[in-house]
Amino acid sequence: MKSKIFLYLFIFTALFVLFQFMNAKKAKESYDAKIENLQAKITTKETVIDSLVEVTLDQTYFSLESNEDAAAYFEELGYEPDKLALTISDQIIGQNKPGKDNPIVPFAGMEGSMAINKVRLLNHRWIIADFTDGVYWGELFISYEVRKDGVVDFEVEKSFLYPKD
C-alpha cells in the first residue's frame, strides 16, 4: 500500500514537473517573440530618428543657433547670441499693433492689418520673416545690424506677397 502511494506520488510529481516544463517553454517562446517584435520596432524607430536628425540638421543649417561664426561675432561685441536672437525677434514681432500694419512690412493690409508671425535669424546680418493680414501673406528678407550701443537697425531688402487664389 505504501509502495502504491509512492508510485502515485512519483507519477503525479513527474506529470507536474512535465507540465511546468512545457508551460515555461511556451512562456519563453512567447517572451522571445515579443522581444524580437520590440527589437524590430526599436530598429525602425532608430532609423526614423536618424532620418529626422539629418533633416533637422539640414533645416537648421541656415540659423543663428548653428552658425558658430555669427555667434562668435556677437560674443566679440559682448552679447549672448541666444538672448540677442530672442531680443531681435521680440523687437520685430513687438511692432505688431492691433489695427495697425507692422511698419517693417512694406505692404498695406487689405483684409486687416499686416502682422509678422514668424522670424528666423539666419546669421549675424540676415533675417527672414513671415507676415499676413489673415487672408494675404508673404515673406520678408531683412538685413540688420546691431550697433555698439545695443540698438538694432532693420532694413527690408526684399519682400513678396503671395497671390490670393
Side-chain angles (χ1 to χ4, degrees):
M1 174 93 167
K2 216 177 193 185
S3 64
K4 285 188 179 183
I5 290 176
F6 282 123
L7 180 64
Y8 291 137
L9 186 60
F10 176 74
I11 292 173
F12 176 74
T13 305
L15 288 174
F16 183 72
V17 168
L18 182 64
F19 172 76
Q20 289 295 347
F21 175 75
M22 294 304 287
N23 192 27
K25 184 179 175 186
K26 286 182 184 178
K28 183 186 179 304
E29 289 172 357
S30 172
Y31 290 142
D32 288 345
K34 285 181 182 178
I35 288 171
E36 287 178 22
N37 186 19
L38 290 174
Q39 286 176 337
K41 284 183 180 180
I42 288 172
T43 304
T44 304
K45 299 294 183 190
E46 286 174 345
T47 304
V48 170
I49 288 171
D50 289 344
S51 67
L52 288 175
V53 166
E54 190 173 312
V55 167
T56 301
L57 288 174
D58 286 344
Q59 295 292 325
T60 60
Y61 183 78
F62 288 108
S63 69
L64 184 61
E65 295 88 22
S66 64
N67 189 330
E68 292 178 15
D69 294 328
Y73 174 81
F74 284 133
E75 288 171 355
E76 286 177 15
L77 292 176
Y79 298 110
E80 193 173 322
D82 294 336
K83 289 183 181 179
L84 185 62
L86 286 173
T87 302
I88 291 170
S89 295
D90 288 346
Q91 277 186 329
I92 292 173
I93 293 175
Q95 295 183 36
N96 293 341
K97 303 289 182 213
K100 293 185 179 179
D101 291 333
N102 188 313
I104 294 176
V105 179
F107 299 101
M110 294 170 265
E111 300 289 331
S113 57
M114 286 289 186
I116 293 180
N117 300 320
K118 183 126 174 116
V119 175
R120 179 174 214 156
L121 280 74
L122 299 176
N123 57 26
H124 63 291
R125 294 285 185 221
W126 299 331
I127 298 171
I128 54 174
D130 171 75
F131 64 90
T132 186
D133 66 357
V135 176
Y136 296 93
W137 67 96
E139 295 176 0
L140 301 170
F141 178 70
I142 304 167
S143 63
Y144 72 101
E145 182 176 355
V146 179
R147 299 191 305 213
K148 291 187 181 196
D149 59 358
V151 176
V152 182
D153 295 325
F154 300 104
E155 182 179 339
V156 176
E157 298 291 335
K158 295 280 185 175
S159 62
F160 66 91
L161 191 64
Y162 289 103
K164 187 177 175 188
D165 293 332

